Amino acid sequence: MSPDEALARIRRYDGRLNAFVRLFEPALGHGDGPVFAIKDLFDVVGVPTGGGAQVPLSAEPKANAEVVQRLLDAGWRAVGKTQTVELAYGGWGTNRAVGAPWNPWDSKVHRAPGGSSSGSAAAVAAGFVDAALGSDTGGSVRIPAATCGVVGLKAGRGLVSLKGVHPLAPSLDTVGALAKDVATAARMLAIISGPDGDLAVRGPFDAEAALTMEVEGRRLAAIPLEHLGEVDPDIGRLYLAALDRLRRTGVTVQMVRPPKVVDDSFATNGLLMASEGWRIWRERIETHGKVMDPWIVRRFEVGRDVPDERLAEAHAQRAEDQAQFHAWLAGYDGLVTPTCPIPGPPMSEVDETVSPLSRLTRAANYLDLPGISVPCGLTGEGMPAGLQIVGRPRDETTVVALGEAFEKVSGWNGRAPDISGFES
């Protein structure tokens, strides 16, 4: 699509859908590449970085985030900035400070789009853009990708620069791509990857090599449904069907229960997010807390009472857990789970005291592994589900190859929501 076509579609439907916080008219960039959107956590020169807050995180950035600049230099065109959970700290996609997007798959009921890259996923699903930038600290690219029926690709740390991306938890933060298909996500990752001083030491990523890699004979570990905890029946059905389809690609799928660290990582990942986030955003919370989403404030305040010694212990435990899990995963080419155990619920049913959408995604950040979410079908209510493939350390290539292979047999075939009900 052209930038003009994208902007016309956004103006027609986004008044209600609310994926964007700001449009660029004209679009940024001068090439004829894909059209993309930018999560409002990434700096764009001269444009306030809102970060999902009433008081912007940066009123007038002096430079583009490194990943934004790389896409523009490659001829991609940016049409706007998308909604995010405030300070990127939440998996539902809610935002009581500035408003939340609708999940594009239901124009009658305001359903959770997933977070924190809520607007980026909604914009791709609604056909507003070819791809969008997101960030992922505990699942914030893969969760909304799954709930909105798009592809979400998260690299391991060190492949993509974080320069110009406002942090949540620096030891966990990664940049990712949301796109209509695996190929577009992979090509976006290829452009934004690569060395950048001390911020990135790997890359660049070779998308074409990954997209053409043969997967026959690869071995995947898949967690049995009975060991996944509480899972929505439709999600469970779609997960098992997806595993059957994966086997059609020539991949061996072995049902196996992984080390306990996968389950245990949820709480420690949360402690790291709260503790590191509080140390970064304490002054903002103390100054602007009254105009912030109260649930976001509560999450950060969990980290207020964590002493430096406890935080250091958590980092040490994480290093041990990574070594243990990486050794186990060396026997496989990846680990497969549902991306989220439930589909996006109505916003009226969201319980901010729990985080079920991130229960199966946080481990990839905690263990520093690449991961992808690929659509794998619709529930009985017509809401998307995602299949998550988590790869070995620094093996984004195999993750993309497996995602591409599954996409071809998934039966999804570029399915998109009917957004006519959002027309302004």
Side-chain angles (χ1 to χ4, degrees):
M1 79 180 74
S2 71
D4 287 344
E5 290 170 334
L7 288 166
R9 185 171 174 86
I10 294 166
R11 286 191 292 267
R12 182 175 180 180
Y13 295 107
D14 199 49
R16 279 192 63 222
L17 201 149
N18 194 32
F20 282 84
V21 295
R22 181 183 299 270
L23 296 181
F24 303 143
E25 301 185 79
L28 302 183
H30 302 286
D32 57 0
V35 174
F36 75 105
I38 303 163
K39 182 178 183 177
D40 197 19
L41 200 70
F42 295 64
D43 283 343
V44 173
V45 62
V47 177
T49 304
Q54 291 188 26
V55 180
L57 309 186
S58 178
E60 192 173 354
K62 303 303 181 187
N64 290 328
E66 179 67 23
V67 293
V68 171
Q69 190 61 52
R70 289 186 180 189
L71 287 166
L72 295 176
D73 289 344
W76 288 44
R77 305 292 301 276
V79 293
K81 300 194 79 175
T82 51
Q83 299 275 12
T84 173
V85 175
E86 189 166 9
L87 297 178
Y89 201 0
W92 291 111
T94 54
N95 189 314
R96 289 167 180 77
V98 299
W102 283 53
N103 189 311
W105 288 85
D106 193 337
S107 62
K108 295 183 173 62
V109 177
H110 190 179
R111 290 181 179 268
S116 65
S117 305
S118 52
S120 289
V124 173
F128 295 157
V129 291
D130 298 309
L133 287 168
S135 62
D136 192 311
T137 308
S140 288
V141 163
R142 291 158 291 147
I143 292 167
T147 55
C148 289
V150 301
V151 173
L153 174 60
K154 180 200 88 71
R157 288 179 53 76
L159 183 65
V160 181
S161 172
L162 293 167
K163 185 184 296 182
V165 184
H166 292 262
L168 172 54
S171 72
L172 301 165
D173 292 342
T174 56
V175 169
L178 297 109
K180 58 186 179 181
D181 52 43
V182 174
T184 304
R187 289 169 181 143
M188 176 180 248
L189 179 61
I191 293 169
I192 64 177
S193 67
D196 176 38
D198 294 332
L199 294 176
V201 296
R202 296 196 284 132
F205 171 69
D206 188 336
E208 302 314 314
L211 292 169
T212 56
M213 176 187 284
E214 178 57 60
V215 300
E216 186 173 359
R218 298 281 180 168
R219 294 181 69 236
L220 287 173
I223 301 180
L225 197 56
E226 62 268 25
H227 294 312
L228 284 169
E230 188 173 349
V231 174
D232 177 271
D234 273 352
I235 298 293
R237 172 181 57 81
L238 292 168
Y239 170 59
L240 296 179
L243 296 183
D244 286 340
R245 287 194 167 99
L246 257 179
R247 294 183 178 101
R248 297 179 196 170
T249 69
V251 170
T252 297
V253 179
Q254 181 180 348
M255 305 303 284
V256 57
R257 188 170 189 175
K260 193 169 180 289
V261 65
V262 171
D263 293 328
D264 293 347
S265 65
F266 182 85
T268 312
N269 182 283
L271 182 144
L272 292 172
M273 281 195 284
S275 302
E276 294 183 17
W278 172 259
R279 285 157 174 77
I280 292 168
W281 297 113
R282 173 178 179 174
E283 183 177 344
R284 163 173 281 265
I285 294 166
E286 291 177 344
T287 304
H288 302 298
K290 290 184 179 179
V291 295
M292 292 179 63
D293 186 322
W295 285 106
I296 302 300
V297 172
R298 292 185 196 184
R299 289 185 193 123
F300 279 115
E301 287 179 343
V302 171
R304 177 180 57 191
D305 302 322
V306 177
D308 291 344
E309 296 79 7
R310 176 69 185 93
L311 182 55
E313 291 173 1
H315 280 295
Q317 182 62 55
R318 182 189 184 201
E320 293 180 12
D321 290 342
Q322 285 185 0
Q324 175 196 359
F325 190 82
H326 293 178
W328 177 83
L329 191 58
Y332 300 94
D333 292 289
L335 174 67
V336 187
T337 71
T339 308
C340 301
I342 62 172
M347 284 291 208
S348 59
E349 296 177 9
V350 166
D351 181 354
E352 295 280 13
T353 66
V354 293
S355 303
L357 290 176
S358 64
R359 184 161 57 78
L360 301 174
T361 58
R362 283 190 186 181
N365 301 83
Y366 181 74
L367 299 168
D368 193 13
L369 301 171
I372 193 169
S373 177
V374 183
C376 66
L378 297 176
T379 68
E381 290 190 324
M383 299 304 295
L387 182 74
Q388 176 179 237
I389 303 171
V390 174
R392 295 172 300 197
R394 300 189 169 205
D395 192 8
E396 288 82 5
T397 298
T398 301
V399 166
V400 168
L402 290 165
E404 171 77 353
F406 173 71
E407 184 177 75
K408 290 177 179 177
V409 299
S410 67
W412 186 255
N413 299 326
R415 195 177 300 175
D418 175 7
I419 64 168
S420 59
F422 288 102
E423 187 165 8
S424 299

